[in-house]
Each structure stands twice: as structure tokens, then as C-alpha cells.
Amino acid sequence: MSRAGRRRLALALLVPALAAPLLAQARELLAVGAQFERVFEYQDNGEYGGLGAELLRLMAARTGNTVRFRMVPWARAQAMLVQGQADILIGPYKSPERIASMAFSEKPFYQDQMALYTRQDASFGWDGDYSVLKNRRVVLLNGWAYGSDWERVRPGLQVSVANNVENGLKMLVHNHVDVFVSNRRNTDPVIARLGYARQVKPLPRVVDVQNGYFAFPRSPAFDRLRLQFDQEFNALIDSGELKKLGRRFDVTLP
């Protein structure tokens, strides 16, 4: 065999050898979450949509991976991530407990306004003074993080827990509670869907502003994946693609 032929043969053998480690690292990722309006939704056609799902598809493709989705109750989705049964959690807010058990993406991908919802005939308002809630029945959502102020006042409140936004609204409408605490993005579309616009209202003062992130298991084995996704997310910001997707899904960006 000529020298040129031997060189071509060596290159032909070398290229697959170099590609093998890259192919071995590519895999199907499992992303979990709960029904979050416009962030992670199960659609009528059986597909998953929303800003979070779309971003994960883009970032998975750009890192040589694929992604499949699973929707479960929110508390269970968090437990799956912490226990290493999932690769990515879609949309958690930060809290001290979560920071201790999850590794968050460098930057958030959406932002929510937290609000107090009451019945339309409720006679009280809210000016930021939590003491007005002391003698009122409050419903919160299971597994949600409401911020340090809520954690401080929660022990002094009459708190019930609902598993989803629809149940929280129904508890309010049927007078089982006086106040429902949720975010506008998740809650306003459900109010419209249930036909509750004449029965329920958000109080005008915003309770808090929360940013939503992607989270990964805290194991060092996931550090590379998280850093790759951070890099691709920054590229989506720099290119303006994130802003376009935010408009497309009608989601407020941080």
C-alpha cells in the first residue's frame, strides 16, 4: 500500500475513534414537571409544549442529546429530581431548601407575579400587611415556594393545601377558604377556562416576584450537562431567540 493510502486508512480508523466518546455521552434526558401554563403543558395532540419544553428541545439538540418529558404532581417531580430519577426539573423557583438539594441553572428563563385571589364580594384589600390574613383561611399549592416572607408568617395562618390551581380556585369559589395564593400566569387562564371571572379576582398589589429556573440533580455527574445547557441558554439570549420565544408563548422574561 502506498504512503498516501496508509494515511487515508489511518484517518478512516481515527475519526470513528474520536467520535465514539462524543456519541457515548449523548443520551435521552428525562425532564419532569407539573402543568405550568405556557411553561410546561400537555397538549391535545399528545405532545408537550410551553416555553420550558421548547427551550429544552433546543438545548438538548444543540448538545447532541434528546429529551423526553413526563408530567407528574409538582411535589413528586421535585422528589424525582432529588432522588436522581430525572435529569431536569422544569420551572422551579429558588428556595433555601431547594438550593440545598438541587443544582439550578445559571439564569432563570421566566418570571412570575405572585398574587392573592379572593372572591369578588370580598370586602378586604391587601397593602402588604400580612396581619390582615391572620383570621382568614388561606390555601397554598402543594410543593410551591412562596418566598421568605411567606415562610415567616405561615405558622400563624390558617393554611390549607391544594394539589393544583384548579382545586385551589374551587376551594375559594365554594367558600372553603378566603384567600388563594398563586401566580398570575398559572391562575388567570384557569379562571377563564372554568368561567370564574365573575366570582374570583386577584388583589391589585403584587405579593412577590419569583423567577423560574431549570434544575438538575446535585450530583457532580450532572455538572457537565448543566454547564452545557447554561452555555446554550446564554447563546439563545445573545441571539435574541429567547425574547422571540417569550413573545410566542406569552411568558414574562426576567
Side-chain angles (χ1 to χ4, degrees):
M1 183 182 294
S2 68
R3 182 179 297 176
R6 287 196 299 272
R7 187 177 298 142
R8 284 195 297 271
L9 178 60
L11 284 172
L13 294 171
L14 179 62
V15 169
L18 290 174
L22 296 176
L23 293 173
Q25 290 160 5
R27 61 188 181 89
E28 183 183 66
L29 306 170
L30 174 60
V32 296
Q35 172 74 23
F36 283 178
E37 299 284 332
R38 304 195 293 269
V39 167
F40 185 48
E41 300 178 307
Y42 187 71
Q43 301 172 322
D44 292 339
N45 62 4
E47 298 293 328
Y48 290 95
L51 178 61
E54 187 68 16
L55 286 171
L56 287 181
R57 288 191 183 100
L58 285 172
M59 294 188 290
R62 294 181 181 194
T63 55
N65 297 291
T66 58
V67 60
R68 66 184 173 93
F69 299 98
R70 186 175 174 191
M71 186 174 288
V72 296
W74 185 232
R76 185 179 173 194
Q78 294 173 74
M80 288 178 68
L81 185 86
V82 172
Q83 295 164 10
Q85 298 171 359
D87 301 291
I88 305 169
L89 178 65
I90 301 172
Y93 306 151
K94 282 185 176 180
S95 71
E97 295 77 16
R98 290 176 181 173
I99 290 171
S101 60
M102 306 174 186
F104 281 77
S105 54
E106 177 190 9
K107 295 176 181 176
F109 71 95
Y110 72 99
Q111 187 174 85
D112 280 335
Q113 290 186 342
M114 309 300 290
L116 302 181
Y117 287 83
T118 65
R119 287 181 294 280
Q120 285 283 4
D121 59 0
S123 59
F124 76 97
W126 190 70
D127 62 359
D129 181 3
Y130 288 93
S131 66
V132 302
L133 302 176
K134 253 190 172 175
N135 298 315
R136 291 183 168 87
R137 301 162 298 169
V138 178
V139 61
L140 305 177
L141 287 160
N142 188 22
W144 280 35
Y146 285 91
S148 57
D149 285 344
W150 273 100
E151 292 308 313
R152 177 176 50 81
V153 302
R154 181 171 176 161
L157 301 178
Q158 301 175 48
V159 173
S160 301
V161 175
N163 284 324
N164 55 52
V165 170
E166 183 172 327
N167 288 346
L169 287 169
K170 288 180 176 179
M171 291 174 71
L172 182 61
V173 166
H174 294 294
N175 201 26
H176 297 307
V177 296
D178 304 305
V179 180
F180 176 38
V181 192
S182 187
N183 64 57
R184 297 293 304 266
R185 174 191 49 78
N186 255 316
T187 309
D188 291 354
V190 181
I191 290 173
R193 197 156 58 235
L194 295 175
Y196 283 171
R198 294 185 178 181
Q199 296 162 277
V200 172
K201 65 181 178 183
L203 297 183
R205 184 183 175 111
V206 173
V207 175
D208 200 358
V209 174
Q210 295 271 22
N211 289 325
Y213 295 76
F214 294 112
F216 302 80
R218 212 145 179 58
S219 165
F222 288 86
D223 285 351
R224 180 175 179 179
L225 176 66
R226 177 171 49 81
L227 293 172
Q228 285 179 324
F229 272 48
D230 282 344
Q231 183 177 357
E232 294 303 332
F233 185 71
N234 285 330
L236 290 169
I237 294 173
D238 293 341
S239 69
E241 184 67 19
L242 178 63
K243 189 175 288 187
K244 291 178 185 175
L245 289 171
R247 287 197 297 266
R248 173 179 155 194
F249 290 102
D250 192 22
V251 172
T252 301
L253 302 181

